[in-house]
Amino acid sequence: MLTDAEQDQLVDMLATTAEVMGEKISPNAATYMVLDLLSYPLPTLARALTACRREVKGRLSLAAIMERIDDGHPAPNEAWAVAIRAADEAVTLVWTEQTRDAWTAALPLVEAGDKIAGRAAFLEVYTRLVKEARAAGGCAVYQPSLGHDAGARDAALQQAVNAGRLAHEQVAEHLSLPAATPAFNPLALLAGRVEASPEANERTRERLAEIAELFRSDQGAAA
């Protein structure tokens, strides 16, 4: 949902785009357009307006803008290619709500061994759900479906974060933590020396050097 400040920005963007396309847009018309567009992120709308300026011949219209909004919903066959992977419970997926729900409808047919009927059911339900989502406005919402393979899970979730489909906060608890490494060299410690490990940061190295100096002083005093 656009903030008040972003709505003001969008009004200016609409007016400027209309002017570049050789016309003027009234404040009332711009306001009604904003009301129909305010569920989309401003950067998404900015890209759609850029496409209008480059592609549309004639006046700026709400329909032209809507046609050029990339709302994040995969094409039906693309969504099916993602969903069918859910048949393997080891696989981690990142999919939209509509893909998930269409897969739920198709799953009984797939489990019965009829993937052709399952795909047809999926495409029918998915197309309907996406149409409803687009009528309501807003961009696709992605969510993870976690599989049993922890290594592949990390890769899938990190890829989704890098692509902007998931926020790191959404998946941080599901990502494996790197193996802990000691700040000191344990073998050197057994030999009576305090040495920093290669992975230790500068602050830790300084602190270990202080400890090593104290250790040497104690040995000297004992001698």
Side-chain angles (χ1 to χ4, degrees), residues 4 22 29 38 40 144 191 202 217:
D4 290 344
L38 55 76
Y40 296 98
E202 188 62 30
S217 297

Side-chain angles (χ1 to χ4, degrees), residues 64-190:
I65 299 171
M66 297 289 290
E67 287 173 1
R68 289 161 178 80
I69 290 177
D70 181 4
D71 58 13
H73 288 287
N77 285 324
E78 183 183 354
W80 167 253
V82 172
I84 191 61
R85 297 177 62 220
D88 183 350
E89 295 184 355
V91 174
T92 290
L93 303 176
V94 177
W95 54 7
T96 64
E97 297 174 356
Q98 292 73 28
T99 305
R100 177 202 62 198
D101 293 346
W103 172 249
T104 299
L107 182 57
L109 293 170
V110 174
E111 289 181 332
D114 194 344
K115 285 188 178 180
I116 294 177
R119 178 177 179 275
F122 175 90
L123 294 177
E124 179 182 354
V125 174
Y126 179 79
T127 300
R128 173 175 55 80
L129 292 176
V130 170
K131 183 177 180 180
E132 292 173 356
R134 284 174 169 160
C139 293
V141 176
Y142 282 81
Q143 54 188 228
S145 174
L146 303 178
H148 301 323
D149 186 336
R153 182 195 309 152
D154 277 14
L157 295 179
Q158 193 59 57
Q159 183 179 10
V161 170
N162 294 341
R165 291 182 169 178
L166 294 176
H168 186 270
E169 294 75 16
Q170 288 179 267
V171 299
E173 64 180 297
H174 303 302
L175 295 173
S176 300
L177 295 175
T181 56
F184 57 86
N185 185 337
L187 295 179
L189 187 63
L190 291 174

Side-chain angles (χ1 to χ4, degrees), residues 192-214:
R193 304 189 309 275
V194 179
E195 295 180 1
S197 68
E199 294 80 9
N201 58 35
E202 188 62 30
R203 172 62 179 165
T204 300
R205 289 175 180 275
E206 292 175 359
R207 183 57 182 152
L208 287 173
E210 294 173 2
I211 295 173
E213 183 61 33
L214 291 174

Side-chain angles (χ1 to χ4, degrees), residues 13-38:
M13 291 162 58
L14 289 167
T16 302
T17 297
E19 186 175 353
V20 169
M21 296 172 66
E23 64 168 328
K24 291 190 179 295
I25 187 171
S26 71
N28 285 341
T31 298
Y32 276 106
M33 282 187 174
V34 169
L35 291 175
D36 287 325
L37 297 171
L38 55 76

